[in-house]
């Protein structure tokens, strides 16, 4: 059971104060009967709540993909710096989306958000092994020895041991890196441990999802099929 005003907010009907007004104006019905009491308890699975005759669905499970530009920190709030939340459209505010894992301030690329706590947990638990693919520009040149060291599982300069990862040299100072965990500054630190300082980093893929034609700074909702594929990979 939950409060009617919360259910209305979660459904995207408006802010707390807008919802109050809607109720006052008699535009909300519960099981066909007008309801003005914001504190009325409803069961979203059993009661039909309508706004202007349209049934509302409560807080729908949502997953969003953002093409993160550099310069934004992955956090829900920050006093000093711009956060990735500022890049999401205003109309998704009520969905209470949270970033899935994090990208460094200077890293660009694919960042997911969801309001599904379980999915969030599954995706950020390293043992679930959702592969993440990065494109890096870096100093130096990746050698066959570096490729082998990544495959073996690198030990970082501070002694942190990484799971086996795939390093694919793409050309002079360019590589693709696939990792199945999300340690702090992981790719940058892995590359640095082999003497290759990363100068640009972009996440191109997470599990079955790629950036596609999504432009820097743009975001979009995932389809039901994409969410299903993501969940399958994270099971
Ligand atoms: N590895 C990094 O070093 N930085 C990121 O943002 C993501 C992976």
């Amino acid at each position: 059971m939950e409060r009617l005003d919360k259910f209305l907010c979660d459904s995207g009907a408006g802010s707390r104060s807008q919802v109050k007004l809607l109720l006052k104006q008699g535009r909300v019905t519960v099981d066909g009967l007008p309801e003005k009491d914001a504190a009325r308890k409803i069961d979203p699975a059993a009661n039909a709540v309508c706004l202007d005759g349209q049934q509302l669905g409560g807080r729908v499970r949502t997953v969003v993909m953002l093409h993160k530009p550099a310069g934004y920190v992955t956090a829900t709030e920050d006093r000093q710096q711009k956060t990735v939340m500022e890049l999401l459209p205003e109309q998704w505010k009520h969905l209470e989306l949270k970033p899935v894992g994090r990208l460094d301030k200077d890293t660009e690329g694919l960042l997911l958000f969801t309001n599904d706590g379980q999915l969030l947990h599954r995706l950020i638990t390293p043992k679930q092994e959702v592969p993440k693919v990065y494109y890096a520009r870096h100093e130096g040149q990746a050698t066959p020895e570096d490729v082998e060291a990544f495959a073996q599982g690198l030990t970082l300069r501070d002694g942190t041991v990484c799971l086996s990862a795939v390093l694919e040299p793409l050309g002079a100072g360019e590589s693709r890196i696939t990792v199945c965990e999300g340690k702090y500054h992981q790719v940058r630190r892995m590359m640095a441990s082999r003497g290759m300082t990363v100068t640009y980093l972009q996440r191109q893929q997470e599990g079955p999802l790629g950036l596609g034609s999504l432009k820097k700074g743009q975001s979009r909702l995932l389809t039901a099929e994409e969410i299903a594929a993501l969940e399958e990979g994270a099971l």
Side-chain angles (χ1 to χ4, degrees), residues 6 12 34 43 46-47 62 88 108 112 117 131 134 140 143 171 175 186 191 196 203 213 226:
K6 178 164 190 312
D43 176 355
N47 298 122
T62 306
L88 300 182
E108 300 191 331
L112 297 176
Y134 295 87
T143 63
S175 297
Q186 180 153 3
M191 293 297 280
M196 295 175 281
R203 181 150 69 199
S213 57
E226 287 174 318

Side-chain angles (χ1 to χ4, degrees), residues 31-43:
D31 297 333
L33 299 173
E35 179 60 73
K36 294 192 171 182
D37 180 6
R40 158 92 187 260
K41 287 278 170 46
I42 60 128
D43 176 355

Side-chain angles (χ1 to χ4, degrees), residues 2 8 29 35 58 65 67 108 134 138 140 167 175 182 193-194:
E2 62 177 285
L8 290 164
T29 58
E35 179 60 73
M65 180 195 293
H67 186 157
E108 300 191 331
Y134 295 87
H138 52 83
L167 172 65
S175 297
S193 79
R194 301 293 304 179

Side-chain angles (χ1 to χ4, degrees), residues 68 74 102-108 132 134 179 181-190 198 201 203:
K68 178 190 175 298
T74 307
R102 63 189 295 281
L103 287 181
D104 301 336
K105 184 177 174 187
D106 293 331
T107 301
E108 300 191 331
K132 298 171 194 89
Y134 295 87
V179 296
E181 45 183 356
K183 291 184 165 62
Y184 180 68
H185 285 176
Q186 180 153 3
V187 173
R188 291 174 198 273
R189 288 160 75 212
M190 287 168 96
V198 169
L201 189 62
R203 181 150 69 199

Side-chain angles (χ1 to χ4, degrees), residues 61-63 119 209 222-232:
R61 189 172 84 131
T62 306
V63 186
L119 180 63
L209 302 170
L222 294 196
T223 63
E225 290 76 30
E226 287 174 318
I227 297 175
L230 192 62
E231 285 198 293
E232 217 163 275

